Amino acid sequence: MSKAPCGKMPCIWASLSVAATKLKAINTDNEIANSLLFELQTAVHLAEAFDKVWSSIYWLKSSKKTKTRVTITLTKLAQSISDHITESLRLFNELCEQQEQLQTLELTDEWIDIRFSLSKANSAFQETHYQLIKPLPLFEYLENQTKS
């Protein structure tokens, strides 16, 4: 391992922060919206932690053992961030389905911004950091076999 894995998460952090800030500003008592806010805030904190860990060593000068240890930590953080982004998207979709039936929340531009920010965070993560958590080919094969 001669170089740093992936890099920091400024785009992911910013997108998640925007979504969380806009959702918090809506200030609703909806249980799903509150769960969504919790997931977003957790993902924001994890992205901040990822950046701090990534910046904690000099990648070109550190020993292989240090790089491996830090990469393992980054992988765990990336997996957690991915899980929270996925859950945020699921909760947002659930909230939209609920609103189709009950219409208890006012539809404003903030909801469109939240959806866009979530989508941007997810696509940025897939493009830049998914390689840290991508399953090995054997695991993908076994997972596909159990689905069939």
Side-chain angles (χ1 to χ4, degrees):
M1 180 179 304
S2 62
K3 63 178 189 163
C6 307
K8 295 183 176 184
M9 295 189 168
C11 183
I12 297 165
W13 173 84
S15 296
L16 292 169
S17 294
V18 166
T21 301
K22 290 201 176 273
L23 183 56
K24 193 171 187 176
I26 292 173
N27 196 19
T28 178
D29 288 335
N30 184 292
E31 184 178 329
I32 298 172
N34 289 334
S35 296
L36 174 58
L37 179 60
F38 174 77
E39 292 293 331
L40 289 170
Q41 289 174 333
T42 302
V44 167
H45 293 303
L46 289 169
E48 289 172 351
F50 185 98
D51 286 352
K52 287 179 184 175
V53 170
W54 190 89
S55 300
S56 69
I57 68 168
Y58 293 103
W59 287 95
L60 296 177
K61 296 181 180 181
S62 295
S63 68
K64 184 176 182 177
K65 185 177 180 180
T66 300
K67 290 177 188 179
T68 301
R69 189 179 69 245
V70 171
T71 300
I72 289 169
T73 302
L74 292 173
T75 301
K76 290 176 183 177
L77 284 169
Q79 181 63 57
S80 293
I81 293 165
S82 176
D83 292 344
H84 286 285
I85 290 172
T86 301
E87 182 63 11
S88 294
L89 288 167
R90 188 194 69 73
L91 286 168
F92 186 86
N93 289 334
E94 184 179 333
L95 183 62
C96 290
E97 289 172 7
Q98 180 192 61
Q99 292 309 304
E100 282 181 357
Q101 297 170 357
L102 302 177
Q103 298 176 355
T104 58
L105 298 174
E106 182 180 344
L107 182 61
T108 62
D109 288 343
E110 280 76 20
W111 290 107
I112 296 168
D113 293 341
I114 291 167
R115 176 63 181 143
F116 177 78
S117 296
L118 272 171
S119 178
K120 184 65 179 167
N122 187 48
S123 63
F125 185 89
Q126 296 300 321
E127 291 171 14
T128 59
H129 290 80
Y130 183 72
Q131 64 199 20
L132 267 177
I133 62 169
K134 184 177 178 183
L136 297 173
L138 177 60
F139 291 129
E140 286 180 345
Y141 173 78
L142 293 173
E143 188 176 292
N144 289 335
Q145 291 300 313
T146 58
K147 289 180 182 177
S148 300

Short mmCIF file of all heavy atoms in Angstrom, two decimals, residues 4 18 24-25 39 45 51 71-72 76 80 87 90 101 108-109 111 116 136 142:
data_model
loop_
_atom_site.label_atom_id
_atom_site.label_comp_id
_atom_site.label_asym_id
_atom_site.label_seq_id
_atom_site.Cartn_x
_atom_site.Cartn_y
_atom_site.Cartn_z
N ALA A 4 -2.47 6.76 -0.31
CA ALA A 4 -3.63 6.89 0.57
C ALA A 4 -4.89 6.36 -0.12
O ALA A 4 -5.06 6.54 -1.32
CB ALA A 4 -3.83 8.35 0.93
N VAL A 18 -25.98 19.91 4.36
CA VAL A 18 -27.06 20.72 3.80
C VAL A 18 -28.40 20.05 4.05
O VAL A 18 -29.37 20.69 4.49
CB VAL A 18 -26.84 20.97 2.29
CG1 VAL A 18 -28.09 21.52 1.63
CG2 VAL A 18 -25.67 21.92 2.07
N LYS A 24 -33.63 20.13 9.65
CA LYS A 24 -33.75 20.68 11.01
C LYS A 24 -34.53 22.00 10.99
O LYS A 24 -35.30 22.28 11.90
CB LYS A 24 -32.35 20.89 11.60
CG LYS A 24 -32.36 21.15 13.08
CD LYS A 24 -30.96 21.13 13.63
CE LYS A 24 -31.00 21.23 15.14
NZ LYS A 24 -29.70 21.12 15.75
N ALA A 25 -34.34 22.80 9.95
CA ALA A 25 -35.04 24.09 9.83
C ALA A 25 -36.54 23.90 9.64
O ALA A 25 -37.33 24.76 10.03
CB ALA A 25 -34.46 24.90 8.68
N GLU A 39 -30.28 10.11 11.29
CA GLU A 39 -29.39 9.40 10.37
C GLU A 39 -28.46 10.38 9.66
O GLU A 39 -27.26 10.11 9.50
CB GLU A 39 -30.20 8.61 9.33
CG GLU A 39 -30.96 7.44 9.88
CD GLU A 39 -30.08 6.31 10.40
OE1 GLU A 39 -28.96 6.14 9.89
OE2 GLU A 39 -30.53 5.60 11.31
N HIS A 45 -21.35 13.45 11.20
CA HIS A 45 -20.29 13.27 12.21
C HIS A 45 -19.30 12.19 11.79
O HIS A 45 -18.09 12.34 12.01
CB HIS A 45 -20.90 12.96 13.58
CG HIS A 45 -21.67 14.10 14.16
ND1 HIS A 45 -21.14 15.35 14.38
CD2 HIS A 45 -22.96 14.20 14.55
CE1 HIS A 45 -22.05 16.15 14.89
NE2 HIS A 45 -23.16 15.47 14.99
N ASP A 51 -12.54 12.23 7.78
CA ASP A 51 -11.55 13.23 7.36
C ASP A 51 -10.43 13.39 8.38
O ASP A 51 -9.25 13.52 8.02
CB ASP A 51 -12.22 14.57 7.10
CG ASP A 51 -13.03 14.59 5.81
OD1 ASP A 51 -12.95 13.61 5.04
OD2 ASP A 51 -13.74 15.59 5.58
N THR A 71 -6.14 2.43 7.34
CA THR A 71 -7.04 2.02 6.26
C THR A 71 -8.17 1.15 6.80
O THR A 71 -9.33 1.28 6.36
CB THR A 71 -6.27 1.28 5.15
OG1 THR A 71 -5.28 2.17 4.62
CG2 THR A 71 -7.19 0.84 4.04
N ILE A 72 -7.89 0.29 7.75
CA ILE A 72 -8.94 -0.53 8.36
C ILE A 72 -9.96 0.36 9.06
O ILE A 72 -11.17 0.18 8.93
CB ILE A 72 -8.32 -1.56 9.34
CG1 ILE A 72 -7.57 -2.64 8.55
CG2 ILE A 72 -9.39 -2.19 10.23
CD1 ILE A 72 -6.71 -3.55 9.39
N LYS A 76 -14.00 0.91 8.04
CA LYS A 76 -15.12 0.79 8.97
C LYS A 76 -15.97 2.06 8.98
O LYS A 76 -17.20 2.00 8.99
CB LYS A 76 -14.62 0.48 10.38
CG LYS A 76 -14.04 -0.92 10.52
CD LYS A 76 -13.48 -1.15 11.89
CE LYS A 76 -12.84 -2.53 12.01
NZ LYS A 76 -12.21 -2.73 13.33
N SER A 80 -19.94 2.51 7.72
CA SER A 80 -20.97 3.15 8.55
C SER A 80 -21.62 4.32 7.84
O SER A 80 -22.84 4.49 7.89
CB SER A 80 -20.37 3.63 9.87
OG SER A 80 -19.97 2.53 10.66
N GLU A 87 -29.81 4.28 4.72
CA GLU A 87 -30.98 4.39 5.61
C GLU A 87 -31.66 5.74 5.45
O GLU A 87 -32.90 5.83 5.49
CB GLU A 87 -30.55 4.16 7.06
CG GLU A 87 -31.70 4.19 8.05
CD GLU A 87 -32.75 3.10 7.86
OE1 GLU A 87 -32.54 2.16 7.07
OE2 GLU A 87 -33.81 3.20 8.51
N ARG A 90 -33.77 5.54 2.39
CA ARG A 90 -34.94 4.71 2.65
C ARG A 90 -35.98 5.49 3.46
O ARG A 90 -37.18 5.48 3.14
CB ARG A 90 -34.54 3.43 3.40
CG ARG A 90 -35.70 2.43 3.54
CD ARG A 90 -35.39 1.34 4.55
NE ARG A 90 -35.34 1.83 5.92
CZ ARG A 90 -36.40 2.20 6.64
NH1 ARG A 90 -37.62 2.15 6.13
NH2 ARG A 90 -36.26 2.62 7.89
N GLN A 101 -50.18 9.66 1.18
CA GLN A 101 -51.43 9.20 1.78
C GLN A 101 -52.00 10.20 2.77
O GLN A 101 -53.20 10.47 2.77
CB GLN A 101 -51.21 7.85 2.46
CG GLN A 101 -50.80 6.76 1.51
CD GLN A 101 -50.35 5.50 2.24
OE1 GLN A 101 -50.28 5.47 3.46
NE2 GLN A 101 -50.04 4.47 1.48
N THR A 108 -42.43 22.00 0.49
CA THR A 108 -41.71 23.24 0.21
C THR A 108 -40.45 22.91 -0.59
O THR A 108 -40.10 21.74 -0.79
CB THR A 108 -41.29 23.94 1.53
OG1 THR A 108 -40.41 23.06 2.25
CG2 THR A 108 -42.50 24.28 2.38
N ASP A 109 -39.76 23.94 -1.02
CA ASP A 109 -38.52 23.75 -1.77
C ASP A 109 -37.45 23.06 -0.93
O ASP A 109 -36.54 22.43 -1.48
CB ASP A 109 -37.99 25.09 -2.28
CG ASP A 109 -38.83 25.64 -3.42
OD1 ASP A 109 -39.60 24.87 -4.03
OD2 ASP A 109 -38.72 26.85 -3.70
N TRP A 111 -37.72 20.44 0.84
CA TRP A 111 -37.79 18.99 0.63
C TRP A 111 -37.08 18.59 -0.65
O TRP A 111 -36.41 17.56 -0.72
CB TRP A 111 -39.24 18.51 0.62
CG TRP A 111 -39.87 18.60 1.97
CD1 TRP A 111 -40.80 19.51 2.39
CD2 TRP A 111 -39.59 17.78 3.11
NE1 TRP A 111 -41.11 19.29 3.71
CE2 TRP A 111 -40.39 18.23 4.18
CE3 TRP A 111 -38.73 16.70 3.32
CZ2 TRP A 111 -40.36 17.65 5.43
CZ3 TRP A 111 -38.71 16.11 4.58
CH2 TRP A 111 -39.51 16.59 5.62
N PHE A 116 -32.22 16.35 -3.21
CA PHE A 116 -31.06 16.57 -4.07
C PHE A 116 -29.77 16.35 -3.30
O PHE A 116 -28.84 15.70 -3.79
CB PHE A 116 -31.08 17.98 -4.67
CG PHE A 116 -29.86 18.27 -5.49
CD1 PHE A 116 -29.75 17.77 -6.78
CD2 PHE A 116 -28.82 19.03 -4.97
CE1 PHE A 116 -28.62 18.02 -7.54
CE2 PHE A 116 -27.69 19.28 -5.72
CZ PHE A 116 -27.59 18.78 -7.01
N LEU A 136 -15.58 -8.30 -1.82
CA LEU A 136 -14.69 -9.09 -2.67
C LEU A 136 -15.53 -9.88 -3.67
O LEU A 136 -16.68 -10.22 -3.38
CB LEU A 136 -13.84 -10.03 -1.82
CG LEU A 136 -12.89 -9.34 -0.84
CD1 LEU A 136 -12.25 -10.38 0.07
CD2 LEU A 136 -11.83 -8.56 -1.59
N LEU A 142 -21.31 -15.23 -3.87
CA LEU A 142 -22.10 -15.97 -2.88
C LEU A 142 -23.40 -15.25 -2.56
O LEU A 142 -24.45 -15.90 -2.40
CB LEU A 142 -21.28 -16.18 -1.61
CG LEU A 142 -20.07 -17.11 -1.74
CD1 LEU A 142 -19.25 -17.10 -0.46
CD2 LEU A 142 -20.51 -18.52 -2.10
#
